[in-house]
Amino acid sequence: MTPNLLTLRSGKFVRFLLVAFVTVAVLAVGGWYAVKKYRPQWLETETTNEAELAALQSAELTVAPAGTNWPQWFGPNRDGRAPAGPLRTDWDTSPPSVVWTVPCGGGYSSFAVVDGRLYTQDRQGDKERVLCLDAATGKELWVHETAVDYAKMDHAPGPRATPTVHDGRVYTLGATGLLQCVVPPIEPGQKPTVAWQKSLTEEYGVSRPKWGFACSPLIDGDQLIVLAGKPNASVVALDRATGQTKWKAGEDGNGYSSPVIVTAAGVRQVIAVTGESVLGIRPGDGNILWREAWKTEYQANVATPVVAGDYVFVSSGYAKGCSLFRLAPAGDSATAELVYFRKSRLMRNHHSTCVQKDGFLYGYDDDTLRCVDLRKGEEREDWVAREVSGNRGKGCVILAEDKYLLGMTQTGTLFLADANPEEFQLRGKVDGVLSGPDCWSLPVLVDGRVYVRDNTKVVCLDVRPK
């Protein structure tokens, strides 16, 4: 073989190696960016801050007193605690009885129940509706309809957000981003009116999330607070009387969570989980007090943050996991310190939110109802809820009388159990109350009646002692 031929073949081989190296490098870099964008949880590491965990053992985990009525998403204080009222607990021998059933359209909106009236949202055809029913009889009192376009929206039976009732007005957010203030009629037979309405996509230049807008409006004084999205309106506050923007905060994309407002670390703040982070925001001016990254596949951060004392618990599905943060004062501001992060385990809330009682969390880890010791960051392994887990699918729970778990599985089973970390004790269940497989709306308990819904009907059940 001649030297020239050797040189030629050697050059081709070098070029082949160079091309192969560049190709592998490009694929590696592209794969890393793809993972970072679409599978961020793959790059995370489970973490425990031992010093913070030790301090947690003696920390106070206070919660706000239970309020009255059920005026908004997740209860009077957005912590899943039902107001005090009658509750029958011997369901095995005396199960709940159906009081009334009323047809409705599609959607996952839960209920607001205030002064004997029940409010929810649904969709029928090309219209989203705000419904007001008599809570005792199910009689339709009024309906407000708005034309909507659900084109290119995934999994879209209807609205996701729950109405907020405050000072005689009803505030709603539809799946397409239509935010409105509805004024109920004064006299029977009259129609409701709209004090104001605006489109979040048009007003703030944000994109509609993959599964539609889902934030339930939060009232704080004269402000209404919702999550909108990037580029600069992750969280926005509007004048609740006029709908005019008061402040905008954050640059994150939108998720599907609803914010809470609390005083923690001595600072009153809005705590919101966006599609990319957990934020603490000063409600007076929209100033971001602290921010912790919280990225989940599809930006599917759905659960409402759970606040106990100065601690904030967040959880997401899609193999994300959960974290606990401690809020600490910093002058007139606050900081967040990570206590622990449990990667893809412990509690992965898909569409529902945990409730907290006496330092223990109860909620659905994907499709399994679990009890988690908040102070240890570990589940109670002997606490097994087979009757309402597994093949019954995912579910959601609220706290009744601050000692019972009232829950609904996504296949339509209503149940009552003890909120006792020592063992799971089922008080009773009623199969087939709703029709699955996606009964995702939160049950509501007010004045001895439980309200539930699926994509075809609203059902009221009597749970008052006999």
Side-chain angles (χ1 to χ4, degrees), residues 8 27-29 43 47 59 76 98 149 154 161 176 178 198 212 217 252 307 310 357 375 397 408 430 437 442 464:
L8 178 62
L27 290 174
V29 172
L43 303 175
T47 304
V98 174
D149 180 5
D154 288 0
T176 65
L178 182 66
K198 60 178 53 183
D252 295 343
V307 181
D310 292 336
K357 173 178 166 52
R375 294 185 189 272
V397 295
M408 172 62 69
V430 185
L442 188 76
R464 292 172 294 181

Side-chain angles (χ1 to χ4, degrees), residues 1 3-16:
M1 186 177 295
N4 285 341
L5 185 57
L6 285 173
T7 302
L8 178 62
R9 288 187 174 180
S10 176
K12 286 183 177 180
F13 183 66
V14 170
R15 286 195 296 273
F16 169 78

Side-chain angles (χ1 to χ4, degrees), residues 206-432:
V206 303
S207 299
R208 187 174 69 191
K210 176 182 177 66
W211 294 300
F213 288 92
C215 173
S216 298
L218 172 67
I219 297 293
D220 176 48
D222 64 353
Q223 296 186 140
L224 179 148
I225 299 168
V226 293
L227 275 61
K230 59 175 56 173
N232 62 354
S234 298
V235 184
V236 297
L238 303 90
D239 186 300
R240 66 177 175 86
T242 66
Q244 296 300 307
T245 302
K246 302 189 73 172
W247 52 256
K248 299 181 292 182
E251 300 177 352
D252 295 343
N254 204 349
Y256 305 91
S257 179
S258 296
V260 299
I261 187 158
V262 297
T263 297
V267 179
R268 185 165 172 79
Q269 53 191 290
V270 176
I271 299 179
V273 181
T274 69
E276 302 172 29
S277 65
V278 190
L279 301 175
I281 303 170
R282 196 192 325 273
D285 56 14
N287 181 50
I288 295 179
L289 305 175
W290 55 271
R291 179 183 186 274
E292 294 292 329
W294 190 255
K295 294 186 177 181
T296 303
E297 188 175 350
Y298 306 120
Q299 297 189 316
N301 294 327
V302 182
T304 299
V306 177
V307 181
D310 292 336
Y311 291 85
V312 180
F313 177 84
V314 294
S315 174
S316 296
Y318 292 89
K320 176 65 176 185
C322 61
S323 275
L324 184 70
F325 300 95
R326 179 181 66 86
L327 304 187
D332 63 350
S333 185
T335 61
E337 298 291 337
L338 178 68
V339 180
Y340 54 74
F341 167 55
R342 300 294 181 249
K343 181 179 179 179
S344 190
R345 70 178 186 92
L346 193 65
M347 189 63 76
R348 294 156 294 184
N349 293 150
H350 177 221
H351 71 269
S352 61
T353 301
C354 297
V355 292
Q356 186 272 144
K357 173 178 166 52
D358 298 334
F360 293 91
L361 293 162
Y362 302 89
Y364 274 85
D365 175 15
D366 198 14
D367 64 354
T368 302
L369 180 62
R370 296 193 191 280
C371 174
V372 168
D373 188 329
L374 184 68
R375 294 185 189 272
K376 294 181 179 179
E378 296 297 341
E379 70 173 284
R380 300 284 291 186
E381 293 186 356
D382 295 333
W383 198 91
V384 183
R386 293 188 182 90
E387 299 92 334
V388 291
S389 298
N391 62 0
R392 295 183 185 276
K394 301 174 175 65
C396 46
V397 295
I398 63 172
L399 271 175
E401 290 191 353
D402 208 34
K403 58 183 178 181
Y404 300 107
L405 302 174
L406 177 64
M408 172 62 69
T409 72
Q410 71 176 28
T411 55
T413 295
L414 181 71
F415 65 90
L416 185 72
D418 291 348
N420 177 5
E422 298 305 318
E423 64 174 337
F424 176 76
Q425 182 63 49
L426 185 68
R427 292 277 174 167
K429 60 185 176 70
V430 185
D431 293 325

Side-chain angles (χ1 to χ4, degrees), residues 55-101:
L56 172 61
Q57 306 314 303
S58 59
E60 292 188 10
L61 300 177
T62 56
V63 295
T68 58
N69 289 309
W70 188 285
Q72 59 179 337
W73 160 252
F74 216 43
N77 299 314
R78 295 204 169 194
D79 59 5
R81 284 174 162 77
L87 176 64
R88 183 166 73 252
T89 60
D90 55 341
W91 282 24
D92 279 339
T93 57
S94 183
S97 56
V98 174
V99 179
W100 53 259
T101 301

Side-chain angles (χ1 to χ4, degrees), residues 7-262:
T7 302
L8 178 62
R9 288 187 174 180
S10 176
K12 286 183 177 180
F13 183 66
V14 170
R15 286 195 296 273
F16 169 78
L17 289 178
L18 182 60
V19 170
F21 174 79
V22 171
T23 301
V24 170
V26 169
L27 290 174
V29 172
W32 185 85
Y33 277 106
V35 168
K36 185 177 180 181
K37 181 175 182 179
Y38 299 108
R39 301 289 191 275
Q41 66 273 16
W42 290 3
L43 303 175
E44 296 173 323
T45 303
E46 185 161 309
T47 304
T48 300
N49 185 323
E50 297 296 346
E52 288 289 347
L53 191 66
L56 172 61
Q57 306 314 303
S58 59
E60 292 188 10
L61 300 177
T62 56
V63 295
T68 58
N69 289 309
W70 188 285
Q72 59 179 337
W73 160 252
F74 216 43
N77 299 314
R78 295 204 169 194
D79 59 5
R81 284 174 162 77
L87 176 64
R88 183 166 73 252
T89 60
D90 55 341
W91 282 24
D92 279 339
T93 57
S94 183
S97 56
V98 174
V99 179
W100 53 259
T101 301
V102 172
C104 73
Y108 302 121
S109 173
S110 184
F111 308 101
V113 182
V114 177
D115 297 335
R117 296 191 172 193
L118 177 144
Y119 306 84
T120 191
Q121 294 190 90
D122 73 357
R123 175 194 175 200
Q124 290 196 346
D126 61 353
K127 290 183 172 60
E128 283 185 338
R129 306 191 307 165
V130 182
L131 306 178
C132 177
L133 308 177
D134 185 291
T137 66
K139 177 184 177 182
E140 182 180 292
L141 300 178
W142 55 262
V143 177
H144 171 66
E145 297 183 335
T146 307
V148 291
D149 180 5
Y150 272 48
K152 298 181 180 180
M153 188 188 302
D154 288 0
H155 203 71
R160 284 86 162 114
T162 298
T164 298
V165 179
H166 182 85
D167 199 20
R169 294 189 171 190
V170 184
Y171 300 88
T172 63
L173 178 62
T176 65
L178 182 66
L179 180 66
Q180 54 187 341
C181 172
V182 180
V183 182
I186 297 176
E187 300 293 337
Q190 294 179 340
K191 293 184 177 181
T193 57
V194 176
W196 57 263
Q197 64 177 209
K198 60 178 53 183
S199 165
L200 296 186
T201 58
E202 295 176 4
E203 183 76 12
Y204 303 113
V206 303
S207 299
R208 187 174 69 191
K210 176 182 177 66
W211 294 300
F213 288 92
C215 173
S216 298
L218 172 67
I219 297 293
D220 176 48
D222 64 353
Q223 296 186 140
L224 179 148
I225 299 168
V226 293
L227 275 61
K230 59 175 56 173
N232 62 354
S234 298
V235 184
V236 297
L238 303 90
D239 186 300
R240 66 177 175 86
T242 66
Q244 296 300 307
T245 302
K246 302 189 73 172
W247 52 256
K248 299 181 292 182
E251 300 177 352
D252 295 343
N254 204 349
Y256 305 91
S257 179
S258 296
V260 299
I261 187 158
V262 297

